[in-house]
Amino acid sequence: MQASSFAVLDEVPPFGTQDAVPPAVSNKLVALWQQWQALADDLMPLLLTPKTCPDFLGDITVCAGTVMSLIRQAPDIGIFHMVYPNPDKMHRYSVLHAMHTAMLLALVGQRKDWGDKRTASAVKAGLTMNLSITNLQIDLAMQHAPLSTAQREAIDTHPLTSWKMLQELGVRDEEWLIAVAQHHEQPDGKGYPQGLTDLHQLADAIRTCDVFGAKISPRIGRTGMPTPRAAAEIFRQRSAGYFGATIIRELGLYPPGCLVELATGHQAVVVKRSCDPNAPDVVTLPGFERCRATQGSGRHIIGAAADQSWSERTSPEEILTNA
C-alpha cells in the first residue's frame, strides 16, 4: 500500500455562516469526501483478504491514522459520508460499516479525551471487529433468504474468530484485541459469544457505534433507518449508557448527510452541525441553496424527509460542491 494514497488535506476552516462559501472551500469539501472514498477502496483488500496482505498490521495502522486525521480536520464530512444514503453502500456494506464505526469511535475518543494511543486502538478495533465475516456481511446485505445454519454459526462466533485472526496477523495491542473479542457482549450478560457482564470500555463503545451504524445502513428489501429515528432508538436502549448519549451529542438529531424536510415544504440535505442541534446548515433541493435551518428564517427542520429518493438523483459531490 502506498502511503501517498492516504495524503490528507490541510485543515478545513469552518463554514458555519449563512454567507456563500468560496469555490475553493467547496472543492476542498469534495476532495475530503473523495479521501473517504479512497480510504474505503484501500480497506477493501485489507478486510476482505487480510491473510494475503504482506503488511496487514502496518497497513491497517495507516488506515486508522487516516480516519483520525480526517476526523480532526473535518468531522462533518466524515459524518456526511456515513449518513448520506448512497446506493453504493449495499455493495460494500461490510467495509463501509467498519470504516464508519471506526469514524464514530474517533469522534467518541475526542469527546472522552482518550488520547491518541487509546483512540487509535479503538479505531483499529472498529475497522477489524468483523474481520472473519467481512465477505459474509456483503453477501447478507444482498440476501433475501433467512440465515443458513453455517451463516448463523459464523456470526455467533465471529468476535472470537476475528480476535484469533488478528493475533495470527501479528496484533499484540491488548486493548484492540479485547475490544474485538467483546464487542457483542452486554453488561446484562445477554450478549455473545461468552455472555460476559464485565466489559472492556472500548468494547462497550464499539458495540454502541456498531449498532448505530447498522441501523442506518440499507439492506436488500430494507432502506436504512433515518438517523433521527436511529438516534432515538439508541437513546432508548442506552439511556443510562455511557456511549449512547455521547454519540447523540456528537451527531446531533439531524447529522450531516441527513435528508430533511423544511417548514417551507422543501427537502434539504444537512451539511454541517451548528451550536444549535435543531438548526444545522443545509443545502436545499432541488435549488442547491445553502442556508441555516433556523426558526427565524422560516426554514427550520420539521423532520426527516419522507421521500429519501433524492439520494438516487443527486450525488454527494454535487451537494458538497454547493455547500
Side-chain angles (χ1 to χ4, degrees):
M1 179 179 297
Q2 298 295 320
S4 61
S5 65
F6 295 114
V8 177
L9 298 170
D10 294 334
E11 187 171 351
V12 178
F15 58 104
T17 68
Q18 295 186 43
D19 298 330
V21 181
V25 175
S26 293
N27 291 339
K28 185 168 281 190
L29 299 182
V30 172
L32 283 162
W33 164 270
Q34 291 169 346
Q35 286 278 309
W36 285 104
Q37 292 287 82
L39 178 57
D41 292 340
D42 283 306
L43 280 167
M44 288 287 286
L46 287 176
L47 300 184
L48 291 171
T49 56
K51 293 181 179 179
T52 67
C53 298
D55 185 17
F56 172 85
L57 183 56
D59 289 345
I60 206 73
T61 298
V62 171
C63 289
T66 302
V67 170
M68 293 168 64
S69 180
L70 287 171
I71 285 300
R72 279 193 296 266
Q73 290 185 68
D76 291 300
I77 301 301
I79 297 169
F80 187 104
H81 196 280
M82 176 184 70
V83 172
Y84 190 78
N86 193 329
D88 180 48
K89 283 187 174 180
M90 270 194 300
H91 300 281
R92 301 202 292 177
Y93 170 78
S94 56
V95 173
L96 291 176
H97 177 58
M99 185 176 78
H100 294 150
T101 299
M103 182 271 296
L104 287 174
L105 288 161
L107 287 170
V108 170
Q110 286 186 348
R111 169 73 70 164
K112 297 297 185 184
D113 293 324
W114 282 348
D116 285 348
K117 185 176 184 294
R118 170 166 263 210
T119 301
S121 294
V123 169
K124 286 182 279 190
L127 290 173
T128 58
M129 61 185 177
N130 299 322
L131 195 62
S132 65
I133 57 167
T134 305
N135 290 283
L136 174 59
Q137 283 189 314
I138 293 177
D139 293 340
L140 293 179
M142 308 292 291
Q143 179 174 309
H144 290 279
L147 292 174
S148 69
T149 301
Q151 288 173 333
R152 169 51 64 189
E153 182 179 356
I155 290 171
D156 288 345
T157 59
H158 83 269
L160 293 180
T161 307
S162 298
W163 166 74
K164 183 177 180 180
M165 284 180 66
L166 288 168
Q167 289 182 310
E168 293 171 350
L169 289 163
V171 176
R172 299 294 178 263
D173 180 337
E174 284 300 315
E175 287 207 302
W176 177 359
L177 290 168
I178 292 171
V180 168
Q182 296 184 2
H183 78 276
H184 278 294
E185 305 290 350
Q186 298 185 30
D188 60 6
K190 295 181 180 179
Y192 66 92
Q194 300 178 84
L196 303 177
T197 56
D198 184 15
L199 311 184
H200 192 283
Q201 186 184 60
L202 295 192
D204 196 24
I206 290 174
R207 178 167 55 86
T208 308
C209 294
D210 179 17
V211 169
F212 181 85
K215 285 182 181 296
I216 66 173
S217 297
R219 308 281 203 286
I220 283 290
R222 191 205 82 179
T223 58
M225 186 181 293
T227 46
R229 181 180 163 196
E233 290 202 2
I234 287 287
F235 190 76
R236 281 197 298 270
Q237 294 169 9
R238 305 277 296 164
S239 58
Y242 191 59
F243 294 108
T246 301
I247 291 171
I248 293 168
R249 283 196 302 269
E250 278 297 309
L251 301 187
L253 185 59
Y254 301 108
C258 182
L259 276 67
V260 296
E261 185 174 348
L262 304 181
T264 59
H266 292 93
Q267 290 188 335
V269 180
V270 178
V271 292
K272 189 180 188 299
R273 298 164 297 168
S274 75
C275 296
D276 181 350
N278 294 312
D281 289 1
V282 302
V283 169
T284 62
L285 300 171
F288 295 108
E289 178 190 0
R290 181 170 170 273
C291 63
R292 178 68 59 84
T294 61
Q295 286 277 354
S297 70
R299 294 187 282 193
H300 55 280
I301 295 171
I302 61 174
D307 178 10
Q308 298 280 306
S309 64
W310 266 106
S311 63
E312 301 170 7
R313 307 194 296 272
T314 309
S315 72
E317 291 90 343
E318 188 174 11
I319 292 168
L320 292 173
T321 296
N322 290 278

